[in-house]
């Protein structure tokens, strides 16, 4: 078991996670979001897919026992521990476009999208190949009748973790989220380690 | 205004839709689904994105007045008429993997995914670049509390239409859906024309 690595506020990393290894994402201060992407380490054109996952898991709310599926219908990551039970797989990583759209009076930031693009570039992943991320601890309630969604502060507390077991050799992209709404307006780090 | 073109059951087409043109999708017999994709005609790496669309439109249920956004945060198609008010943007096109998963006792079909891949190949779109589609008339209720989803027969009636106005020059992929559940168990054609 490795020590917990800390992703500084508003930044991101990429690393390899081999089949059978477990990634633990840690909310080191509480109330923070981490955008997670997974690519097939042998061919990064295979990538985690919210549409395939919703279809095969038959739910929009993913927790212990659920699997994240790839665009090629292969299992990528299975959730093996979930202290929070609140994650989002509907929204794309925040980006320059997101900041201009939602925060026109704030400085533009490259967001999780830019952080993921830089971290994943050495693995051969291009910006346009970044899909909707699995947003760990992100709180996006939706209404079954109207369809309306909102972005609320995450309910995660200091030390809460999510564990995911790799079903194939993966390249993982992971951020400490940069958007104002997703973490209640303050920017905090995110921790991770491989078990 | 062109005549209505008919997509035979369990097949698909691709065609160009220029900025300002309106695509009309017609449910020619009723209770049928059509998977729709849109790519930037000038650079097919830019593609419609459910995650960006949910984020900017702030809803999972899209109807007249809503816009479908690209992965680069640009508007692609705006819904200008909607006779049905029931569409899905959560699920990926049915594929060989989908058929093996959900219908293990039925013959495997390449599905909307295979039909889109073949129709879009001349435009330079590869299989792995096919994202979650906008599924016209598809009926996927979701529960705001549990997150559970199901696939139900579409409420569309014979002659119902959806109209979308192009906000950029697009390549469109369009199918008559091949999955059992999405159309109530029978396979029917889909009509379309450019206004």
């Amino acid at each position: 078991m490795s020590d917990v690595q800390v992703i500084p506020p508003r930044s991101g990393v990429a690393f390899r996670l081999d089949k059978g290894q477990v990634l633990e994402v840690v909310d080191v201060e509480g109330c923070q979001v981490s955008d997670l992407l997974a690519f097939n380490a042998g061919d990064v054109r295979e990538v985690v897919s919210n549409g395939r996952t919703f279809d095969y898991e038959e739910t929009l709310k993913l927790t212990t026992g659920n699997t994240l599926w790839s665009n090629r219908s292969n299992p990528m990551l299975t959730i093996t521990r979930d202290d929070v039970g609140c994650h989002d797989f509907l929204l794309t990583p925040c980006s320059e476009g997101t900041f201009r759209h939602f925060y026109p009076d704030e400085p533009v930031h490259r967001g999780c999208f830019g952080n993921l693009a830089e971290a994943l570039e050495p693995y051969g992943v291009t910006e346009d190949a970044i899909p909707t991320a699995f947003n760990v601890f992100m709180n996006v309630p939706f209404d079954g009748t109207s369809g309306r969604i909102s972005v609320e502060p995450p309910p995660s507390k200091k030390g809460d973790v999510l564990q995911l077991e790799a079903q194939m050799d993966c390249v993982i992209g992971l951020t400490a989220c940069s958007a104002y709404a997703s973490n209640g307006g303050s920017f905090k780090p995110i921790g991770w380690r491989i078990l």
Side-chain angles (χ1 to χ4, degrees), chain A:
Chain A
M1 187 184 300
S2 58
D3 290 339
V4 171
Q5 310 286 312
V6 174
I7 305 172
R10 303 187 107 180
S11 70
V13 296
F15 52 87
R16 171 120 179 179
L17 184 75
D18 289 332
K19 182 174 178 176
Q21 288 184 321
V22 173
L23 169 64
E24 180 175 87
V25 183
V26 188
D27 194 347
V28 288
E29 296 186 6
C31 197
Q32 174 58 310
V33 164
S34 177
D35 288 15
L36 183 153
L37 289 177
F39 298 82
N40 177 344
D43 182 350
V44 295
R45 293 172 301 180
E46 182 167 12
V47 60
V48 73
S49 163
N50 67 344
R52 291 265 177 250
T53 300
F54 295 151
D55 206 3
Y56 295 150
E57 299 298 314
E58 300 181 48
T59 182
L60 306 183
K61 294 197 175 181
L62 302 156
T63 186
T64 307
N66 288 124
T67 290
L68 310 188
W69 294 75
S70 80
N71 57 338
R72 295 183 189 167
S73 292
N74 294 314
M76 297 195 85
L77 296 164
T78 298
I79 300 175
T80 52
R81 175 179 163 183
D82 182 2
D83 291 351
V84 179
C86 176
H87 316 285
D88 168 70
F89 209 4
L90 295 167
L91 302 183
T92 31
C94 58
S95 67
E96 288 188 14
T98 311
F99 277 85
R100 289 197 184 90
H101 185 98
F102 287 111
Y103 315 111
D105 298 329
E106 302 286 348
V108 169
H109 190 273
R110 67 179 185 175
C112 288
F113 185 83
N115 290 329
L116 287 165
E118 180 177 309
L120 289 162
E121 192 276 337
Y123 296 93
V125 176
T126 60
E127 282 197 355
D128 288 318
I130 293 178
T132 302
F134 182 68
N135 303 304
V136 179
F137 309 136
M138 190 171 184
N139 186 8
V140 182
F142 47 86
D143 186 284
T145 305
S146 70
R148 298 293 294 176
I149 61 173
S150 59
V151 178
E152 306 294 341
S156 48
K157 295 182 297 295
K158 178 177 175 171
D160 280 344
V161 308
L162 179 76
Q163 292 181 354
L164 308 106
E165 181 179 338
Q167 304 297 320
M168 66 169 69
D169 293 341
C170 291
V171 170
I172 300 291
L174 200 65
T175 72
C177 187
S178 308
Y180 298 94
S182 69
N183 51 25
S186 68
F187 306 118
K188 282 162 285 191
I190 277 288
W192 65 277
R193 61 178 172 174
I194 295 175
L195 307 184

